[in-house]
Amino acid sequence: MKRICLLLAFFAYQLFFSQLDNTHYLQPIIFGAYDTTTITEEYIYLSTPSTANITVNVRMADGTTIPRLSVYNINAATTANNATGTVTFNNTTPLRLAVINASNVVLPPGSSPMTVATTRAGTIIPANIGGLVFTSTDDFFVNYRGLSGSQAGSVLAKGKVALGKNFFWGGTPNEFTTNVPEVGNMVSMMATENNTVITISNIDSGTQFINGANATPLTGTTITRTLQKGQSFVLYAKVKLNALSLQDRGWLGAKISADKNIAVTVGGLMQQGSIETGTLSDNRDFGVDQLVPVEQLGNEYVVMQGNGGTYERVIVVATEANTTITMNANVNPSYTLANMGDYQIVPASFFTNKNMYLKTNKAVYVFHKIFGSSALNTNSFMFIPPLSCFGQTSVNMIPDAKQIGTTSYDNTELAVLAASGTANIPVVTVGGTALAATVAAGTAVPGNANWRSYRYNIATAAGGTATIKNVRVSSAGTIQAELVGASGAAGFGGYYSGFGTAPIVTIAVANSPSTRPCTGTTGSSSLSLSVTPGLGTYQWYKNGAPISGGTNSNYSIPITDNSAAEYNVIVTPPGGCLIYSNVVKSFACPCYKPGATGTPEITKIGVSTRASKSTANWPADMNNAFLALESNDKGLVITRIPDPEESIATPVNGMIVFDTDDLCLKIYDGTQWSCINQTCN
């Protein structure tokens, strides 16, 4: 359940250009055996739109330990060892970094800050061993790329917009059995402050995770750890060999909560290719991507297909109950996700001219299982950004786009989503030479005429040298850029723009006698939305239906309406994008009447922390109780838990907890959990 924000009345106008930022975080990744079946090389690519030199400081996750670096100037083809952790570059001198030891030997995957040993899974990873932080006074891109002879993958760091307190574990489930023991799914979480409590809940009961070197796996529907600044915690679910099992998807949709900002990366060696007539497939590749928190998500997505045809999938993960998914130009929802954390695997049949449009009534995570070519071992996955009319208009630049290290991927392609209109047709250059789209006019997005997609063949572009393909993209309007590459046996991909660019609309509650919004004859609620003038038009909704006349930035619930309901507002700015607010739940306001009369029953049992009784007859003068508690400086704290509907597998009638998401005491009546609200009876 999405936490309700009640205390602040504002329209949070946040324009983050993710991927391009002055601070980036890379969480440590786990891939398995660290051999030719998984990964043997890894690099970090740095680039910037700045024509003047910028300086970037590279530190271990603790923010102080300096890693030794091998710094390769891509354009000049020169290498220098660096012990200061400080590098300088500009738009024409992108860099490729590797981490080295004191003898200037490159650290192999599995022992570097980017990839740690499999036995680190299930343990707290020290901040001076796993993870990196990149900082500068200027904006830049950070792109991790890894490979072996038969695998490849890429992660785009998303800057400060990646930090948050609420996430959901997403990715793509394994749909076919495998003989490969290294296949599995991972989530890596890094703390940015001391004493950060992280809780992973809504895990399917029975799912097993690697527990360090311990043969007994980690299990449980909820797992909690406390991390210090820069420390990381990784959960890794290995698949069962030659059998489909809970390991393939029991982690998918798990909720990740923290009391302080964290950064989260998901992925692993997984997503093996498929065959139409059988169940076994050892085709595989690794895919990994960094997430953004729930508040940076959206309700409209365009997914641009790769080259995998019917093998491609789109996975949608719900962040709230009763989430509907409407596909392409359909009027009615194609899918409904009943519970928070539920997911839907959308087949490739919904692609039209390699475009797929999804619209949801509540914020969702969207992941794309994509293939670099028709070969089943070139798969990867991408975390897809929501549509936004407020996004960046250029990606300047993607360095050495068809390479990972010295390995060339000759099926590298760029897909660009751009606002419709001839003035917005993207301009793509490779090595400074303009590159034409394979379809000059682009292709339409089914169900959303505001966007078109364009494709560019990067590998065979005339610009640049035979190997170096530095790519720049620009447009008069908003764009999203997707790079996907493949060789004969491996594929990789990544988004270079799009997340966190839309304004955040937060409903604030006023004039309510309770800490939560209530309606009815004993109280009134005014749900106030303060917006930037001229942003667009507004439409309020009650339980998903538009409210007649609710077309202003403020809406007041009628005082006679005492029915519990969900309220939200949709803002339509110029350009046709839709901006969805959070959802606020109301309930009937409490009423009051005199207490019951008659002879009270005395209380016989009391527990006190006071040095002496507060009254001579205590607890007998605390009427009508089984047990009385008393203290000068202590309170009673009952069980605090997020989402008891999901967290407590077998509740019993009368159970009471405090729901830390809905911020209320809840009681289970044998059928459902409900907030305890004061009412007349």
Side-chain angles (χ1 to χ4, degrees), residues 331-570:
V331 175
N332 298 317
S334 300
Y335 306 101
T336 297
L337 302 177
N339 304 301
M340 173 204 73
D342 284 357
Y343 62 89
Q344 179 64 48
I345 301 175
V346 180
S349 57
F350 278 101
F351 283 111
T352 300
N353 294 325
K354 287 199 165 187
N355 292 326
M356 181 190 296
Y357 173 55
L358 300 90
K359 181 179 177 181
T360 63
N361 65 329
K362 298 177 182 179
V364 295
Y365 283 91
V366 176
F367 301 88
H368 181 196
K369 178 180 179 180
I370 190 170
F371 290 74
S373 73
S374 58
L376 299 182
N377 51 2
T378 64
N379 54 327
S380 185
F381 89 92
M382 298 180 184
F383 175 33
I384 305 300
L387 289 180
S388 173
C389 293
F390 301 88
Q392 61 202 82
T393 59
S394 67
V395 176
N396 190 6
M397 66 169 189
I398 307 173
D400 213 4
K402 62 173 287 190
Q403 299 277 129
I404 301 181
T406 59
T407 301
S408 179
Y409 293 82
D410 292 328
N411 291 314
T412 300
E413 187 177 47
L414 179 73
V416 180
L417 183 70
S420 296
T422 55
N424 298 323
I425 294 177
V427 176
V428 175
T429 62
V430 179
T433 301
L435 180 64
T438 54
V439 177
T443 57
V445 172
N448 192 325
N450 296 311
W451 300 90
R452 298 183 74 82
S453 70
Y454 301 80
R455 308 274 170 157
Y456 304 85
N457 190 330
I458 300 301
T460 60
T465 67
T467 57
I468 300 174
K469 302 295 181 183
N470 295 330
V471 178
R472 295 172 174 85
V473 189
S474 64
S475 173
T478 299
I479 60 170
Q480 294 179 2
E482 169 189 283
L483 184 72
V484 57
S487 65
F492 68 94
Y495 258 86
Y496 272 82
S497 55
F499 285 102
T501 57
I504 301 173
V505 180
T506 302
I507 297 174
V509 177
N511 305 322
S512 176
S514 171
T515 58
R516 295 184 297 121
C518 69
T519 61
T521 56
T522 59
S524 64
S525 178
S526 176
L527 306 183
S528 300
L529 181 66
S530 177
V531 300
T532 302
L535 188 65
T537 60
Y538 313 94
Q539 177 62 62
W540 286 86
Y541 291 80
K542 177 181 178 181
N543 291 332
I547 299 173
S548 177
T551 56
N552 298 315
S553 59
N554 293 282
Y555 175 73
S556 295
I557 301 175
I559 198 169
T560 56
D561 185 353
N562 60 3
S563 61
E566 292 186 348
Y567 292 88
N568 69 291
V569 65
I570 298 177

Side-chain angles (χ1 to χ4, degrees), residues 603-615:
T603 300
K604 299 179 181 180
I605 302 173
V607 177
S608 176
T609 65
R610 291 181 171 182
S612 60
K613 294 182 178 181
S614 57
T615 63

Side-chain angles (χ1 to χ4, degrees), residues 23-24 66 122 218 221 237 283 375 428 440 472 487 490 548 567 623 625 671:
T23 302
H24 294 272
I66 300 173
L218 285 175
T221 59
N283 291 299
V428 175
R472 295 172 174 85
S487 65
S548 177
Y567 292 88
N623 297 325
T671 302

Side-chain angles (χ1 to χ4, degrees), residues 185-199:
N185 283 273
M186 170 213 71
V187 61
S188 178
M189 300 153 284
M190 177 194 289
T192 62
E193 299 181 56
N194 286 332
N195 300 313
T196 299
V197 180
I198 299 177
T199 301

